[in-house]
Amino acid sequence: MPQNVLSTDNPAQDAPAPAARPRKVPRIVVLGGGSVGLYVARRLRKKLGKREAAIVVVDPRPYMTYAPFLPEAGAGSIDARDVVAPHRIALKGIDVLQGKVVKIAHGDKKVTISPEEGLDYEVSYDHLVVGLGSVSRTLPIPGLAENAIGFKNVEEAIAVRNHVLNRMDVASSTWDADLRKRMLTFTFVGGGFAGIEALAEIEDMARYATRNYPTIEESDLRFVMIEGAGRILPEVSEPMGEWALEEMKKRGIEFHLNTFLSSCEDGHVVTSTGVEFDTETIVWTAGVKANPVIKDDSDLPSDRMGRVTVLPTLQVAATTDDGTEGEVVPDAWAAGDCAAVPDLLNPGSFCPPNAQHAIREATQLADNIIASLKGEPLVEYKHKSVGVVASLGLYKGVAELFGFLKLKGPLAWLAHRSYHVMAMPTGNRKSRILIGWMGQFLMGREIVSLGSLHDPRDEFRKASVPPKPQGDKVEQKAEASAEKATHG
């Protein structure tokens, strides 16, 4: 049985409520198993014994995805399994519930969880940590939902990789010029870190792959970036962003700045500036928003962007429109993409939603929970950014470190890999990533499309015999295949 048996909680449906049994130790429920949730739970368990606290992590996926490595996973530089940390391995001594959080009732100190199969159920708690992260922020653009794919999780990154290589496979044997051009046009929307890294890595992979296609030249590939702002990579200084833009243009990547996607029905892209073209690949990386359950199905205070409002101590607290701190919500904590964490080093602003801050916020949050349990004073979260690093493809990158060090090209790329491999949780994953990099360096990229992974039953369905009309007898006869082949 899990520690502090969860079965004492009531099902969410109309079922008779069993008598509640008092808990021997406080239960800390952590919503989300991403960077915040995983690091909070690990640190709590490291500092609190099982007789001091029961820790429960709730997440719809059985693993944490290290998002900064998604572009490299999409490009095949890292195996997809190595950019995720399985909860059952990374969260030893911690209860893990796989399900989606559909309601937070902090007034009753209960959360409702919807498992992949079965009825919804409730879990009660003494302390709540909200680390639900973010989801893709989309717009009501005609054709977007039907034709685009996100780049927010590892499944999407691998799907984009397989799709791009599959289009190249099909185009290599297609003689219709218009159809071929459509297949080899790859469109990305959103020029922030996520979009630029995804575009750069996938383009670099596709260009490398052309050496295996005698009928496809590098010049046949068309990569297009649509960005609403007047520049890319707003996270770095403008000169560094301009340098990255020019370097990517030299590779033949087409940029449409100050431009919005107006429509993409049936793969026909129309922009706000009147540009039109056909494509079979649209990758949406135009921003994220806090998990919608916070604003739609929670009694925790949130801001106009749907983020939980917190104090610098990472305690949930209601705040006024002018930013004035309000009353603290007891026993509730939040951090990461889904929380509006004040940036004390930049008054009036909030900490950016990146892995660098999320991991450090998680550490401080866990320490503050422990301090509150022991009646000790809480410490405000304060972190001076060590800088930003971005990969622009193999041996290419841009970085600004410690406020004064600016790196371009191979050195920036090396800084990117070094920083993120150190931040990757568990030694097992660090080792696997390093071994994968060494293998790629010695043997080159592995360029193969496994598109059928996304619908493995497709071929079986096509081979299946249609069922006979109702009432007709179905005769089945066993045959010895080997004997038939021998005597046939």
Side-chain angles (χ1 to χ4, degrees):
M1 273 299 227
Q3 44 179 305
N4 237 6
V5 188
L6 296 176
S7 59
T8 59
D9 300 302
N10 302 336
Q13 282 68 29
D14 298 329
R21 293 181 296 180
R23 285 189 285 274
K24 295 180 180 179
V25 298
R27 178 187 292 163
I28 304 171
V29 170
V30 181
L31 304 184
S35 295
V36 169
L38 184 136
Y39 279 92
V40 164
R42 281 162 62 94
R43 190 167 183 85
L44 287 173
R45 179 47 72 224
K46 180 180 179 180
K47 295 197 169 188
L48 296 175
K50 291 186 178 181
R51 294 187 178 183
E52 296 177 280
I55 305 168
V56 182
V57 173
V58 183
D59 196 275
R61 289 185 172 86
Y63 52 77
M64 166 227 168
T65 301
Y66 189 68
F69 275 148
L70 283 182
E72 290 201 53
S77 298
I78 303 176
D79 189 281
R81 291 171 296 183
D82 296 339
V83 301
V84 300
H87 289 151
R88 306 289 175 180
I89 296 175
L91 297 174
K92 295 293 186 183
I94 296 168
D95 292 329
V96 178
L97 299 178
Q98 188 173 335
K100 182 180 179 182
V101 177
V102 294
K103 185 177 181 181
I104 302 172
H106 189 67
D108 299 326
K109 287 198 171 181
K110 291 181 179 180
V111 294
T112 303
I113 300 169
S114 178
E116 188 170 330
E117 295 187 16
L119 301 176
D120 292 1
Y121 59 92
E122 293 178 341
V123 172
S124 62
Y125 57 82
D126 299 289
H127 290 267
L128 180 71
V129 177
V130 183
L132 290 170
S134 57
V135 299
S136 293
R137 176 178 60 84
T138 59
L139 299 172
I141 297 171
L144 183 66
E146 295 79 10
N147 296 288
I149 184 172
F151 207 86
K152 188 74 176 61
N153 54 56
V154 70
E155 295 90 346
E156 290 175 329
I158 302 310
V160 170
R161 165 189 163 83
N162 284 334
H163 176 74
V164 169
L165 291 174
N166 175 264
R167 293 301 82 194
M168 293 179 69
D169 285 335
V170 177
S172 67
S173 301
T174 299
W175 310 116
D176 184 320
D178 291 337
L179 180 57
R180 178 186 169 93
K181 183 178 180 180
R182 179 188 177 103
M183 290 178 180
L184 297 180
T185 298
F186 308 102
T187 307
F188 288 70
V189 184
F193 253 40
I196 292 299
E197 286 194 313
L199 166 63
E201 290 283 355
I202 295 294
E203 185 272 344
D204 198 47
M205 173 201 72
R207 187 158 42 81
Y208 177 91
T210 57
R211 64 185 64 186
N212 298 320
Y213 296 92
T215 61
I216 298 179
E217 302 291 335
E218 289 186 26
S219 59
D220 294 331
L221 304 177
R222 183 187 183 189
F223 279 83
V224 182
M225 165 58 70
I226 299 173
E227 165 56 38
R231 57 166 297 193
I232 64 169
L233 296 176
E235 299 87 348
V236 302
S237 64
E238 192 164 349
M240 294 295 275
E242 284 294 328
W243 179 85
L245 177 63
E246 292 305 315
E247 288 298 304
M248 294 178 72
K249 282 183 175 179
K250 290 177 184 178
R251 290 155 57 175
I253 300 176
E254 185 180 326
F255 285 85
H256 296 274
L257 304 181
N258 295 308
T259 303
F260 298 94
L261 178 64
S262 299
S263 173
C264 57
E265 292 182 291
D266 298 322
H268 181 71
V269 169
V270 179
T271 73
S272 59
T273 56
V275 175
E276 297 188 32
F277 58 89
D278 292 325
T279 179
E280 291 191 358
T281 307
I282 301 172
V283 182
W284 180 266
T285 60
V288 295
K289 63 180 180 180
N291 192 304
V293 72
I294 293 169
K295 196 168 187 69
D296 298 339
D297 294 286
S298 166
D299 57 359
L300 297 175
S302 60
D303 65 6
R304 61 184 180 81
M305 297 177 66
R307 301 174 299 182
V308 181
T309 52
V310 301
L311 303 181
T313 54
L314 303 173
Q315 296 168 284
V316 175
T319 59
T320 60
D321 293 337
D322 61 1
T324 305
E325 295 180 359
E327 184 178 352
V328 172
V329 178
D331 306 322
W333 313 76
D337 293 7
C338 67
V341 180
D343 188 346
L344 297 183
L345 298 180
N346 297 285
S349 62
F350 298 100
C351 294
N354 58 34
Q356 180 181 159
H357 277 282
I359 293 171
R360 288 169 173 80
E361 289 168 8
T363 300
Q364 188 60 66
L365 192 157
D367 288 345
N368 280 348
I369 289 179
I370 295 168
S372 72
L373 291 174
K374 296 180 178 180
E376 299 174 354
L378 308 184
V379 177
E380 295 182 334
Y381 173 75
K382 185 187 300 182
H383 170 65
K384 183 177 181 180
S385 174
V386 297
V388 291
V389 289
S391 172
L392 301 178
L394 198 59
Y395 309 126
K396 310 171 191 72
V398 61
E400 290 184 320
L401 304 173
F402 312 114
F404 66 90
L405 184 59
K406 301 181 188 298
L407 303 176
K408 302 173 182 177
L411 285 178
W413 171 83
L414 185 61
H416 172 273
R417 285 200 165 186
S418 300
Y419 174 80
H420 286 303
V421 78
M422 287 190 295
M424 185 72 192
T426 78
N428 176 290
R429 270 355 190 217
K430 295 180 199 287
S431 299
R432 287 177 178 273
I433 289 172
L434 289 172
I435 291 171
W437 281 339
M438 288 188 287
Q440 183 191 60
F441 178 76
L442 295 173
M443 295 177 285
R445 294 177 186 261
E446 185 65 46
I447 303 296
V448 61
S449 169
L450 295 176
S452 60
L453 285 174
H454 307 296
D455 189 5
R457 296 187 63 251
D458 180 60
E459 188 171 344
F460 182 78
R461 284 196 299 267
K462 291 175 181 176
S464 298
V465 177
K468 289 190 175 184
Q470 190 173 4
D472 288 6
K473 185 177 180 181
V474 179
E475 295 184 4
Q476 299 186 58
K477 181 173 64 174
E479 294 183 356
S481 300
E483 182 181 347
K484 184 177 180 181
T486 304
H487 299 288

